[in-house]
């Protein structure tokens, strides 16, 4: 589902948004691998995840009687509940700690060290830049790292450099000449064969999600957003203004044939009461969406516009209630006086909407919530894309939509097959026999292809 994707010979392409599922002592191998873990390994993982502030259901330790058969069977069930919880919690499931626990071979690289090496090489070729400090784990992507930097010619200004490891061969990336009040500008961008870096001005106040969660922008993503303590939704006036501005930039992208697909609250900054979107380069770099685990569930979300609209629904929910929805689809909404907001949310996030299809951006702009919002930017919007690249984007957009539809069909077949197998009489008998075994380790079969159905918090 990545744009402009082209696999290199000998390289394994991994999509970190694909949730790893883990089943203790599963018998059928659905493109999976096996890892052996002791209880102490689970305990170490749990200790590392405590920084999230999430209450995790790890079964307690037991010093005496821990070799009893009934206790081992009970612990196995408890560990399965624990694995299900962390692999279905969207933020935890995408963090490197969990990925490495379940897939050590593919997630043991130290990307901070790799990023520092490659950024240092870039600075040697352009010595006007200097690293002020690394911004450790402020984003959700495992292969994307951030550094606070400064230009030696303007030492008081702070800028942020984002470095990302590429799994595609997109050979050139340019900063387009654009003029749009709702796009946060790029200072500099460059790519190599294996990575890309982008420089922007650093926003001291952070992103829209930082504003909602009342957290400091430099803190780690998992610490900030897994279980924030002081969340607060926005006022209706802000929701209407910010929502209208975001819809305007989405309409702008679609009119120009530019695939965005990376809308979420951490990709929005507020500057002078104006929303500006970040990371418009993500689609060019072949990076998967923040909300991809949800998008692949619903076969009616099958175009770039419907992806953006669905993402806008999550963002609107977060602006209204101060937190992401607990699960999707959403048919029950907390009490709120903004009935016009709930009406729009239902048109995007309800079971019916996810089954029958998303409204268009134009239709959302005509709803009472946004139609009479006055905008204060009158300058002509410009976005000049070279003809050759425009044709490539059109082709990539069509290819991406086709691949997404194929993935949705494949996922549906795999889930149906897995559910049928898990409920078979043969599998039930096998699990009963395994439950009688006395072992102090558990075998975990891990699959990166069977998607989870629901998450406890909401990632293109």
């Amino acid at each position: 589902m990545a744009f402009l994707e082209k696999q290199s010979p000998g390289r394994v392409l991994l999509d970190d948004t694909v949730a790893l599922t883990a089943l203790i002592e599963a018998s059928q191998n659905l493109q999976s691998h096996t890892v052996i873990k002791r209880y102490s390994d689970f305990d170490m993982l749990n200790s590392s995840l405590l920084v999230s502030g999430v209450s995790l259901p790890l079964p307690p330790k037991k010093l005496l009687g821990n070799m009893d058969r009934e206790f081992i069977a009970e612990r196995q069930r408890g560990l399965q509940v624990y694995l299900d919880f962390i692999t279905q919690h969207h933020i935890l499931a995408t963090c490197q700690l969990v990925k490495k626990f379940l897939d050590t071979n593919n997630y043991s690289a130290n990307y901070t060290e790799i990023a520092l090496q490659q950024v240092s090489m870039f600075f040697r070729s352009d010595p006007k830049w200097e690293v002020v400090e690394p911004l450790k784990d402020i984003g959700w992507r495992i292969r994307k790292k951030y550094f606070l930097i400064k230009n030696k010619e303007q030492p008081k200004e702070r800028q942020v450099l984002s470095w990302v490891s590429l799994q595609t061969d997109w050979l050139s990336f340019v900063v387009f000449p654009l003029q749009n009040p709702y796009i946060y500008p790029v200072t500099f961008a460059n790519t190599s064969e294996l990575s890309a870096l982008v420089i922007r001005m650093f926003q001291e106040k952070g992103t829209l999600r930082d504003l909602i969660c009342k957290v400091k922008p430099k803190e780690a993503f998992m610490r900030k957003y897994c279980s924030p303590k002081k969340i607060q939704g926005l006022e209706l006036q802000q929701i209407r203004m910010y929502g209208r501005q975001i819809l305007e930039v989405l309409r702008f992208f679609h009119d120009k044939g530019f695939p965005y697909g990376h809308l979420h609250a951490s990709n929005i900054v507020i500057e002078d009461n104006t929303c500006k979107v970040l990371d418009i380069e993500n689609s060019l770099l072949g990076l998967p969406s923040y909300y991809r685990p949800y998008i692949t569930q619903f076969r009616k979300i099958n175009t770039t516009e419907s992806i953006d609209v669905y993402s806008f629904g999550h963002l609107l929910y977060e602006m209204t209630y101060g937190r992401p929805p607990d699960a999707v689809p959403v048919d029950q909404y907390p009490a709120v006086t903004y009935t016009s907001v709930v009406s729009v949310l239902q048109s995007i996030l309800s079971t019916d909407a996810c089954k029958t299809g998303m409204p268009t951006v134009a239709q959302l702009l005509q709803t009472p919530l946004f139609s009479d919002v006055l905008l204060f930017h009158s300058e002509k919007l410009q976005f000049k894309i070279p003809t050759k690249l425009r044709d490539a984007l059109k082709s990539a957009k069509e290819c991406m939509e086709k691949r997404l539809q194929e993935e949705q069909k494949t996922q549906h077949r795999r889930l149906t097959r897995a559910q049928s197998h898990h409920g078979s009489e043969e599998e039930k008998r096998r699990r009963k026999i395994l439950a009688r075994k006395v072992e102090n380790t558990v075998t975990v079969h891990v699959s990166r292809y069977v998607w989870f159905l629901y998450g406890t918090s909401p990632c293109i």
Side-chain angles (χ1 to χ4, degrees):
M1 201 166 94
F3 293 107
L4 307 171
E5 183 177 285
K6 177 183 176 184
Q7 184 168 357
S8 298
R11 294 179 63 191
V12 177
L13 298 185
L14 293 178
D15 180 353
D16 299 329
T17 65
V18 176
L20 300 178
T21 61
L23 181 63
I24 295 177
E25 294 288 357
S27 65
Q28 188 181 38
N29 189 340
L30 297 175
Q31 301 188 55
S32 63
H33 64 271
T34 301
V35 294
I36 307 297
K37 298 292 183 182
R38 301 180 65 88
Y39 177 83
S40 58
D41 298 320
F42 283 86
D43 189 46
M44 289 178 61
L45 172 66
N46 191 72
S47 298
S48 300
L49 295 178
L50 291 178
V51 67
S52 68
V54 177
S55 179
L56 302 170
L58 181 69
K61 295 180 181 180
K62 185 177 181 181
L63 298 179
L64 300 177
N66 59 5
M67 297 300 292
D68 179 77
R69 290 184 177 183
E70 291 185 2
F71 169 74
I72 290 177
E74 180 183 353
R75 168 167 284 182
Q76 178 174 316
R77 290 190 293 270
L79 291 177
Q80 184 64 64
V81 170
Y82 180 79
L83 287 172
D84 291 344
F85 182 89
I86 63 175
T87 56
Q88 293 175 17
H89 187 292
H90 191 79
I91 296 180
L92 295 181
T94 55
C95 78
Q96 189 167 7
L97 291 169
V98 172
K99 295 280 191 179
K100 184 177 180 180
F101 181 79
L102 297 175
D103 191 359
T104 304
N105 290 338
N106 287 314
Y107 289 96
S108 292
N110 186 334
Y111 285 101
T112 299
E113 183 177 326
I114 296 171
L116 276 170
Q117 292 174 353
Q118 298 196 15
V119 169
S120 297
M121 291 176 62
F122 163 69
F123 282 176
R124 283 199 293 269
S125 65
D126 193 350
K128 70 181 179 182
W129 301 103
E130 180 180 328
V131 172
V132 177
E133 63 175 303
L135 301 173
K136 189 176 181 180
D137 299 329
I138 66 167
W140 66 274
R141 294 186 188 274
I142 294 173
R143 304 166 200 274
K144 191 171 187 178
K145 300 301 176 182
Y146 298 84
F147 301 89
L148 193 65
I149 66 172
K150 66 180 180 181
N151 186 330
K152 295 177 182 178
E153 299 170 359
Q154 299 170 310
K156 293 185 178 181
E157 287 186 348
R158 292 294 180 264
Q159 303 192 47
V160 60
L161 180 151
S162 61
W163 171 93
V164 61
S165 171
L166 298 181
Q167 299 193 78
T168 57
D169 285 338
W170 180 238
L171 298 180
S172 63
F173 169 58
V174 296
V175 182
F176 303 121
L178 59 86
Q179 182 179 343
N180 190 305
Y182 310 124
I183 299 175
Y184 201 66
V186 171
T187 302
F188 178 84
N190 191 24
T191 59
S192 65
E193 183 179 354
L194 299 177
S195 65
L197 60 87
V198 179
I199 298 175
R200 291 181 172 89
M201 295 300 298
F202 179 66
Q203 259 288 346
E204 295 287 348
K205 296 181 180 179
T207 65
L208 176 58
R209 183 167 285 154
D210 294 327
L211 174 66
I212 291 172
C213 296
K214 299 186 180 301
V215 293
K216 297 178 180 179
K218 292 183 181 181
E219 291 183 352
F221 193 91
M222 187 165 63
R223 181 191 295 272
K224 289 191 293 186
Y225 303 136
C226 269
S227 184
K229 307 302 181 185
K230 299 179 181 180
I231 59 172
Q232 182 176 344
L234 306 182
E235 299 292 333
L236 179 59
Q237 181 180 359
Q238 293 175 303
I239 294 172
R240 298 181 72 229
M241 176 62 72
Y242 296 163
R244 175 62 187 267
Q245 293 170 350
I246 293 166
L247 288 173
E248 287 292 341
V249 77
L250 291 180
R251 177 164 65 177
F252 178 72
F253 284 142
H254 299 154
D255 287 347
K256 297 296 183 181
F258 185 83
Y260 182 44
H262 291 265
L263 180 66
H264 56 88
S266 290
N267 268 353
I268 301 288
V269 296
I270 308 297
E271 194 174 72
D272 298 328
N273 205 34
T274 300
C275 280
K276 298 178 183 287
V277 299
L278 295 167
D279 290 358
I280 66 168
E281 69 277 2
N282 280 359
S283 57
L284 300 180
L285 298 175
L287 301 182
S289 166
Y290 183 70
Y291 291 118
R292 176 173 174 168
Y294 297 139
I295 293 166
T296 54
Q297 297 176 36
F298 307 117
R299 295 170 67 174
K300 289 295 183 178
I301 306 177
N302 53 18
T303 65
T304 54
E305 182 174 13
S306 63
I307 290 170
D308 283 334
V309 168
Y310 179 74
S311 302
F312 178 78
H314 277 264
L315 176 59
L316 183 61
Y317 188 103
E318 201 165 339
M319 288 194 294
T320 304
Y321 297 108
R323 57 180 176 81
D326 293 327
V328 288
V330 184
D331 293 312
Q332 299 294 326
Y333 294 86
V336 68
T337 57
Y338 315 146
T339 56
S340 57
V341 177
V342 174
S343 176
V344 174
L345 288 172
Q346 289 173 332
S347 73
I348 301 173
L349 298 180
S350 67
T351 299
D352 184 61
C354 291
K355 287 183 177 180
T356 60
M358 299 287 103
T360 65
V361 171
Q363 289 171 336
L364 291 176
L365 284 167
Q366 293 302 313
T367 61
L369 184 61
F370 304 117
S371 60
D372 60 348
V373 175
L374 297 178
L375 301 177
F376 300 100
H377 295 279
S378 58
E379 63 263 34
K380 183 179 180 181
L381 306 182
Q382 298 180 11
F383 198 1
K384 298 178 181 178
I385 303 178
T387 302
K388 185 176 180 180
L389 180 56
R390 186 186 301 115
D391 294 340
L393 288 175
K394 180 180 179 181
S395 176
K397 174 179 176 292
E398 294 171 352
C399 180
M400 187 277 285
E401 292 175 348
K402 181 179 179 181
R403 287 182 57 194
L404 172 59
Q405 294 163 22
E406 292 172 351
E407 287 180 31
Q408 291 168 333
K409 292 178 183 179
T410 301
Q411 178 184 317
H412 177 73
R413 289 195 296 267
R414 282 176 176 148
L415 285 173
T416 301
R417 188 169 73 249
Q419 290 167 354
S420 175
H421 166 75
H422 191 68
S424 67
E425 291 300 322
E426 180 183 354
E427 174 63 10
K428 290 178 180 178
R429 288 194 298 270
R430 195 195 69 82
R431 291 200 298 270
K432 287 182 180 179
I433 293 173
L434 288 173
R436 300 191 189 106
K437 291 184 178 181
V438 180
E439 297 179 2
N440 200 31
T441 63
V442 295
T443 303
V444 183
H445 285 267
V446 184
S447 171
R448 65 170 60 254
Y449 298 96
V450 182
W451 291 80
F452 61 87
L453 293 179
Y454 297 104
T456 54
S457 65
C459 238
I460 241 178

